[in-house]
Amino acid sequence: MIGIPLMFMCLTYTGDLLADAFISGYSRMINFVYRRICRGHLKDCIPDDTRQSFENPDSESDDSRHVPIVATLAVLALYITMGALLFAQWENWHVLDGAYFCFITFTTIGFGDLVPGKGTVTESKAGKAAMCALFLLFGMIVMAMSFKLMQDEIMSKFRRFGRRFGFVKRSNDPG
C-alpha cells in the first residue's frame, strides 16, 4: 500500500529533474545550431519572440523554454527502439516483441505475456537481470519525463491560445 505510491512519486520527481535537464540541453543545442546556421545574423533568421529565448537560454520563462512534442516522442521512440534491439539480442525475441515489451513495461501496464530471462540459460543470468532492471527503471523515468514535457508543451499552447483570444491575461498586464 505504501510502496506503489512511493515508487510513482519517485518516478515523477526523477522525471521532473530529467525533464528540466533535457529542456536545458535542448535549449542549448538549438541555440548552438541556430547560431551556427545564422552566423551572427540571428536578427534576420528568427522572429523577435523566438530570438529572445535563444539569446537568453537560461531564462526561466515558461513560454520561452519548452521542447516540441515531436522531439519528446523521438527520444521516447529512440529509447524503446534501443530496448527492442537489446531484448532481441538477449532474449532471442523478434524486434517487435521487444518494442512491445518495452512500451508495455515503461507505461506500467505490464501484461506479463513477455518476461525477460524466462527462456535463457546462461552463466551471466544475474548480470543480465540487473542490467535489465536498470534499463527498465530508467525507461520508466524517461516515460515520466516525456509525459511531463508533453504536458508542459500542451499547457503552453493552451495559455498562448487563451492569451490570443483574451481568455487569459498576460502576466505583465496590470489588474
Side-chain angles (χ1 to χ4, degrees):
M1 293 207 22
I2 296 172
I4 293 173
L6 189 61
M7 177 66 177
F8 279 122
M9 283 178 36
C10 288
L11 282 176
T12 302
Y13 181 71
T14 310
D16 288 350
L17 287 175
L18 192 60
D20 290 341
F22 188 78
I23 289 170
S24 179
Y26 179 82
S27 177
R28 290 178 193 278
M29 181 191 69
I30 293 298
N31 186 13
F32 177 78
V33 168
Y34 273 130
R35 288 196 185 278
R36 287 290 177 196
I37 290 173
C38 296
R39 297 191 193 230
H41 303 290
L42 204 58
K43 199 176 266 189
D44 301 332
C45 291
I46 303 172
D48 289 337
D49 56 342
T50 307
R51 186 177 69 242
Q52 289 182 2
S53 68
F54 290 114
E55 288 174 345
N56 189 11
D58 294 326
S59 70
E60 292 299 321
S61 172
D62 287 340
D63 291 337
S64 65
R65 303 225 14 196
H66 61 87
V67 177
I69 291 176
V70 173
T72 305
L73 290 175
V75 167
L76 196 58
L78 179 68
Y79 200 77
I80 288 174
T81 303
M82 285 175 24
L85 295 173
L86 179 79
F87 288 115
Q89 178 70 32
W90 278 359
E91 303 294 326
N92 295 325
W93 291 347
H94 191 271
V95 175
L96 289 178
D97 286 338
Y100 165 78
F101 171 75
C102 287
F103 180 77
I104 292 299
T105 305
F106 295 160
T107 55
T108 67
I109 296 171
F111 291 129
D113 51 348
L114 292 174
V115 179
K118 194 163 102 176
T120 59
V121 180
T122 61
E123 306 84 38
S124 62
K125 196 171 185 178
K128 280 187 181 179
M131 291 290 291
C132 178
L134 288 175
F135 178 81
L136 294 175
L137 180 65
F138 190 72
M140 286 190 210
I141 294 169
V142 168
M143 184 66 75
M145 176 201 77
S146 299
F147 285 160
K148 167 88 166 95
L149 291 174
M150 287 188 274
Q151 177 186 6
D152 289 349
E153 178 67 12
I154 290 170
M155 291 303 292
S156 174
K157 293 218 184 282
F158 272 114
R159 270 190 227 107
R160 198 174 312 138
F161 178 79
R163 281 190 211 115
R164 176 176 280 168
F165 291 105
F167 299 129
V168 176
K169 290 184 180 181
R170 297 188 196 288
S171 59
N172 57 1
D173 284 347

